[in-house]
């Protein structure tokens, strides 16, 4: 990792461990996301979703409790995957007609070329470099030719003290700069859109397309 990035947390602090246990509850998790700026992030993501048409299957990798399911029509098949079974239970409670799958992002149990859109929000900072690279390769594999990759995550911006504070308590140990994320995603996708905006964190939203098989 870049030496300018924060040190990886080992969560020995009792307060941090308590907060992590608390946020593990699906309802609490949703409220924390709202407090952290989910309404703003949803607006930015919704603007890009509105530009898409004909998506019959959306794969939400690390989808948690389905924070962004409401951006897609009910007629759209929506599959959420996550490694946290409790969050998937929360997803199913809200969206009983949508499937949820306990699955590793770096080894997706889906056929090649079977997905129209891969959505990845607030996941990359939980993944070490090797797993992030494997996930991006997997996401491209499962996308059909011409499929869309929607990515959003908070950035490591040392000059933003609210962001530094939030990273202090985040379970993710791998926050990255905008440059680092753009470069690694561009290895797998043709980038069609990129924007940055701030709430407490500074965020980056990227839209990539799989141009070839």
């Amino acid at each position: 990792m870049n030496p300018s990035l924060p040190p990886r947390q080992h969560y020995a602090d009792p307060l941090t461990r308590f907060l992590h246990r608390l946020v593990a509850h699906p309802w609490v998790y949703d409220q924390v996301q709202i407090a952290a700026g989910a309404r703003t992030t949803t607006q930015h993501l919704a603007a890009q979703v509105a530009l898409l048409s004909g998506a019959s299957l959306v794969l939400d990798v690390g989808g948690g409790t389905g924070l962004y399911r409401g951006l897609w029509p009910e007629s759209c098949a929506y599959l959420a995957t996550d490694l946290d079974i409790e969050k998937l239970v929360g997803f199913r409670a809200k969206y009983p007609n949508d499937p949820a799958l306990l699955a590793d992002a770096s080894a997706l149990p889906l056929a090649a070329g079977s997905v129209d859109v891969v959505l990845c929000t607030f996941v990359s900072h939980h993944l070490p470099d090797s797993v992030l690279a494997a996930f991006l390769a997997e996401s491209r594999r499962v996308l059909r030719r011409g499929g869309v990759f929607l990515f959003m995550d908070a950035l490591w911006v040392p000059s933003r003290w609210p962001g530094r504070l939030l990273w202090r308590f985040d379970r993710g140990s791998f926050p990255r700069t905008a440059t680092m994320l753009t470069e690694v995603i561009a290895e797998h996708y043709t980038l069609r859109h990129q924007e940055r905006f701030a709430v407490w964190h500074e965020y980056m939203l990227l839209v990539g397309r799989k141009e070839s098989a």
Side-chain angles (χ1 to χ4, degrees):
M1 294 292 288
N2 189 308
S4 66
L5 296 180
R8 296 172 184 172
Q9 301 292 332
H10 296 287
Y11 311 119
D13 182 347
L15 174 60
T16 303
R17 294 201 304 271
F18 168 76
L19 291 174
H20 288 174
R21 289 196 299 271
L22 183 64
V23 174
H25 186 282
W27 184 87
V28 176
Y29 175 82
D30 285 350
Q31 302 313 304
V32 169
Q33 297 307 306
I34 292 170
R39 289 188 175 91
T40 300
T41 60
T42 298
Q43 290 172 355
H44 283 263
L45 188 60
Q48 296 305 312
V49 171
L51 299 176
L52 304 177
S53 62
S56 59
L57 176 56
V58 175
L59 172 64
D60 189 351
V61 178
T65 59
L67 185 62
Y68 299 111
R69 173 60 178 104
L71 298 181
W72 307 86
E74 291 185 9
S75 60
C76 172
Y78 194 96
L79 171 61
T81 69
D82 207 292
L83 282 176
D84 187 334
I85 186 64
E86 194 168 358
K87 288 191 174 62
L88 291 178
V89 169
F91 174 84
R92 290 284 293 153
K94 291 193 292 184
Y95 303 105
N97 295 324
D98 291 320
L101 185 63
L102 190 69
D104 188 333
S106 64
L108 297 169
L110 297 170
S114 61
V115 175
D116 298 299
V117 177
V118 172
L119 176 64
C120 177
T121 58
F122 308 113
V123 172
S124 70
H125 65 275
H126 293 284
L127 308 179
D129 291 346
S130 59
V131 178
L132 176 59
F135 156 63
L136 290 170
E138 274 290 270
S139 69
R140 191 179 190 283
R141 179 186 68 81
V142 301
L143 270 176
R144 63 171 175 80
R145 183 174 181 179
V148 173
F149 179 71
L150 286 175
F151 172 92
M152 184 164 57
D153 207 348
L155 299 172
W156 170 241
V157 183
S159 61
R160 290 189 61 83
W161 69 263
R164 293 202 310 272
L165 179 62
L166 289 173
W167 282 125
R168 168 68 180 80
F169 295 105
D170 199 289
R171 291 179 67 91
S173 300
F174 305 95
R176 295 175 173 88
T177 66
T179 298
M180 296 170 71
L181 288 170
T182 301
E183 288 179 350
V184 70
I185 293 172
E187 292 177 5
H188 300 269
Y189 293 103
T190 300
L191 298 183
R192 294 301 183 122
H193 176 78
Q194 178 177 345
E195 64 183 86
R196 291 171 64 171
F197 58 96
V199 186
W200 300 105
H201 273 305
E202 185 166 341
Y203 298 93
M204 184 169 69
L205 171 61
L206 288 175
V207 181
R209 189 173 293 274
K210 179 179 176 180
E211 300 287 6
S212 58

